Amino acid sequence: MKFQAKYLILFILFSVNSYAQEGDVEKFANEMLYIADEFAGPAAEGVAYQAGAGWFTSATALKPWKVEISFQGNALFVPSNRQSFTISNGDLAGVHESGGPILSLKGDESNAVVPTAFGGETDVYFEGTLLGEPFEFQALEGVNKSVVAYPFVQANVGLPYETEFSARFLPQLTVDGVAITTYGAGVKHNFSQYFKFNNEEDFQAAAIIAYSKFDVEYEFSPVNIDNVVNLNLVNVNSNLWMASVMGSKLYGDNFEVFGALGATNSNFNYAMGGSGVALGPINSALRGLDQSQAQFKADLGFNLYFDRFKISTMATAGKFFHLNAGLHFRI
C-alpha cells in the first residue's frame, strides 16, 4: 500500500499548527477522515468474513474431552465494487454543516473513481489551500488484491452436555507488506440432543457464539520529518462477535453437509505506526474513524471423513464471497 508523503505531512500540519486558522484546519481534517473512511471501509467489512469462518464444520459436538487440531486456510474474494469508490466535490462539501470544503478534485472533473484498500494505482489528485499555502496530493493507492488469503491453526475440544469449545491463533504473518494477526475462541452447543429421536445420522442442529481479535497492518515507505514524526504503517484493529445457528446431516460414514445462518458485530479502530512527538495527535484525529458494523452471512459446506482426519470446505456469501478449507486431525 502506498501512502503519499504530502498526504501524511498535511496530517502533521493539522497536529502541530492547530492554533492557526482552526476552522479551516478542522474542515480539512474532517474531509481527510471522510476519504480515509471510504478507503478503509471495505477492508473492515472483509474482516468480518475472514474472522467468522471455519469455527465449526458440524452441528454434532465432539465427545467429551476428545481433541481435534485443524490447519485451515481462508480466502476472501473481493468484488469489483469493493475495490474502488466514487468521490465528488459535493461529497467533500457535504462533510460540513455550512461553508465550502478545503479539498477539491484537481482538474475539470467534479467526481472521480479512486481505489479502496483493496484497489490498485490511481492518477487522481486532490488540491486545496491550507494555512495560506496551496497543496496537492495523490489519492491513496491500495494493495491491488482481488483475493486475500492466509492460514491459521485451530484446536477444538469436546465438553459435557454436547458442547464444544474452539480456540484459534495466528502469530503475525506478513505477505507483500500486509501483516495479519488473529486469535479468538468459540463455543457450540448441540440442540438435537433434546429431540425425542437423535441418532448420529439424523439431522443435527446447534447454536454457535465466537469472539475474534483481528489485526491487519499495511506497510508503506517511511515518511520522516526531523524532530516531528516518522510514519511507516497503518493498523486496522478489530474486535468481532459472531452468533449463528447451524445444521448438518451425515450421509453414510464419510460425507456430511452443513449450513449456517449468522450475524456478526464488529468494532474497528485505526492508527498510524511510527515515532515522534506528532504521532499521538495524528492518531487522536484518526479516532474519528472508529466504527461498529453489523452484518448477516450464510455458510454452506461439506466434510469428507477418513479414519483419523477429515477435510472440510465452507463457502460464505454476503457482501463478499469467502472460502474456508481445513484439514482436521482427531486425537
Side-chain angles (χ1 to χ4, degrees), residues 97-117:
E97 294 183 359
S98 62
I102 300 298
L103 293 175
S104 63
L105 292 164
K106 184 179 179 180
D108 297 330
E109 300 295 330
S110 61
N111 58 72
V113 177
V114 294
T116 69

Side-chain angles (χ1 to χ4, degrees), residues 90-239:
D91 293 331
L92 297 170
V95 172
H96 314 296
E97 294 183 359
S98 62
I102 300 298
L103 293 175
S104 63
L105 292 164
K106 184 179 179 180
D108 297 330
E109 300 295 330
S110 61
N111 58 72
V113 177
V114 294
T116 69
F118 294 123
E121 297 180 351
T122 182
D123 57 1
V124 174
Y125 278 76
F126 295 95
E127 62 182 1
T129 301
L130 185 66
L131 303 176
E133 294 292 332
F135 64 87
E136 67 177 41
F137 62 91
Q138 188 178 14
L140 300 180
E141 297 183 333
V143 294
N144 195 26
K145 286 184 177 294
S146 58
V147 180
V148 180
Y150 70 94
F152 62 92
V153 178
Q154 181 170 297
N156 291 31
V157 59
L159 302 175
Y161 308 107
E162 297 286 339
T163 301
E164 189 174 328
F165 174 79
S166 179
R168 63 174 51 168
F169 176 68
L170 173 67
Q172 189 172 83
L173 175 69
T174 303
V175 179
D176 295 332
V178 180
I180 297 174
T181 303
T182 184
Y183 60 86
V187 176
K188 176 183 70 179
H189 183 72
N190 179 281
F191 285 109
S192 295
Q193 62 182 304
Y194 305 116
F195 301 161
K196 184 175 181 180
F197 301 99
N198 181 35
N199 298 317
E200 287 191 3
E201 65 273 13
D202 294 333
F203 176 81
Q204 300 290 312
I208 298 168
I209 186 169
Y211 166 79
S212 297
K213 181 79 169 179
F214 199 99
D215 291 342
V216 185
E217 291 183 350
Y218 300 94
E219 295 182 354
F220 53 84
S221 299
V223 174
N224 182 61
I225 308 299
D226 291 340
N227 301 318
V228 179
V229 73
N230 180 280
L231 302 173
N232 52 32
L233 62 86
V234 60
N235 174 267
V236 180
N237 178 279
S238 64
N239 295 278

Side-chain angles (χ1 to χ4, degrees), residues 250-265:
L250 183 65
Y251 295 91
D253 295 328
N254 58 9
F255 183 73
E256 183 178 33
V257 177
F258 64 88
L261 293 173
T264 62
N265 186 70

Side-chain angles (χ1 to χ4, degrees), residues 68-96:
E68 182 180 270
I69 304 296
S70 60
F71 302 90
Q72 300 188 42
N74 280 341
L76 180 73
F77 294 82
V78 184
S80 58
N81 64 353
R82 289 295 187 271
Q83 297 179 40
S84 63
F85 68 98
T86 300
I87 190 168
S88 69
N89 292 333
D91 293 331
L92 297 170
V95 172
H96 314 296

Side-chain angles (χ1 to χ4, degrees), residues 259-275:
L261 293 173
T264 62
N265 186 70
S266 313
N267 178 264
F268 303 92
N269 57 76
Y270 307 84
M272 305 296 290
S275 60

